[in-house]
Each structure stands twice: as C-alpha cells, then as structure tokens.
Amino acid sequence: MTSDQPRPGFVTAAFWCWAAAAVMLMVGGLLTASVNLPTVFRAAGVLTAVVGAAMAFLAGRSRNGDNRFRRAAVALAVVTSAWIGLSAALGVVHLITLLAILPLIAGAVLMTRRGRPVQEEAQ
C-alpha cells in the first residue's frame, strides 16, 4: 500500500547516512574483533558490529515511516556516537568505526527535521 504523499528527501538522505554508518560500524567492529587484543576489546568490536547490524535494521524500518523505529534509530545513533567517542579515548576503536560517527549524527539530525507543511494550490 502506498501513501498519498511522497517521502521527504531528507528521510532518504538520513537513511543513506545511516546505511553507510551501519556498514562502517560492522566493518570496523569486525576488524577490531579480529586482531590480537585483550578479550574485553575484542568483545567491544563484536558489540560494535552488532550495533551496526541493528542500526541497519532500524534505518530500513524508519524509512518506511514507522515512528517507533525512527525514534529508536535516533536514540541508537546518539548513544552509539557517544559510546564510540568515549572509547576512542582508550585508543581501541578502529578508524573506520570512529569515522562512522559523522554519518550517524547527520542521519539523526536529518531524521528529526520537520517536513514542510503542504501548501494549498492557488485557485
């Protein structure tokens, strides 16, 4: 079933930002998990990869217009950005994972924008 109104362009842009961030999180997390580090840091890499998969799932569902998934995706993006930023101080975050903060924040900002009201046509 299709909606009467087209999807706003910023929703599509937010989806692609989150999709890129999800791929970056998964790749960076798996790279961190595969190197010879202590178990705690390897577990953090696996957790980062799982968060990337969850972000991809939530981004797909929020693109379809479900507000619950949209709010969950924004919350996950903000928490993930804060967590990666704090763990970067320890120096155990891969560079790809650190760069994923930028599209995460951009997607969260774009997804929380309000759409323009539909203007009535002049008669």
Side-chain angles (χ1 to χ4, degrees):
M1 184 173 190
T2 60
S3 64
D4 294 337
Q5 298 177 354
R7 180 183 305 129
F10 58 84
V11 173
T12 303
F15 167 75
W16 286 112
C17 284
W18 279 343
V23 169
M24 293 167 75
L25 286 172
M26 287 187 276
V27 169
L30 291 175
L31 285 173
T32 303
S34 65
V35 297
N36 193 11
L37 290 173
T39 307
V40 174
F41 299 135
R42 293 178 79 180
V46 171
L47 181 64
T48 303
V50 169
V51 166
M55 192 71 229
F57 173 75
L58 291 175
R61 292 293 182 140
S62 65
R63 184 180 190 192
N64 293 333
D66 195 343
N67 284 333
R68 295 174 300 165
F69 289 106
R70 179 183 55 87
R71 287 189 299 258
V74 169
L76 183 63
V78 170
V79 169
T80 303
S81 297
W83 175 60
I84 290 171
L86 290 175
S87 61
L90 297 175
V92 296
V93 175
H94 197 274
L95 181 63
I96 295 173
T97 306
L98 188 59
L99 289 176
I101 291 176
L102 298 174
L104 278 174
I105 293 172
V109 168
L110 287 171
M111 194 58 84
T112 55
R113 282 188 59 196
R114 288 184 168 219
R116 283 186 259 151
V118 178
Q119 296 178 357
E120 307 240 352
E121 291 185 26
Q123 294 180 355

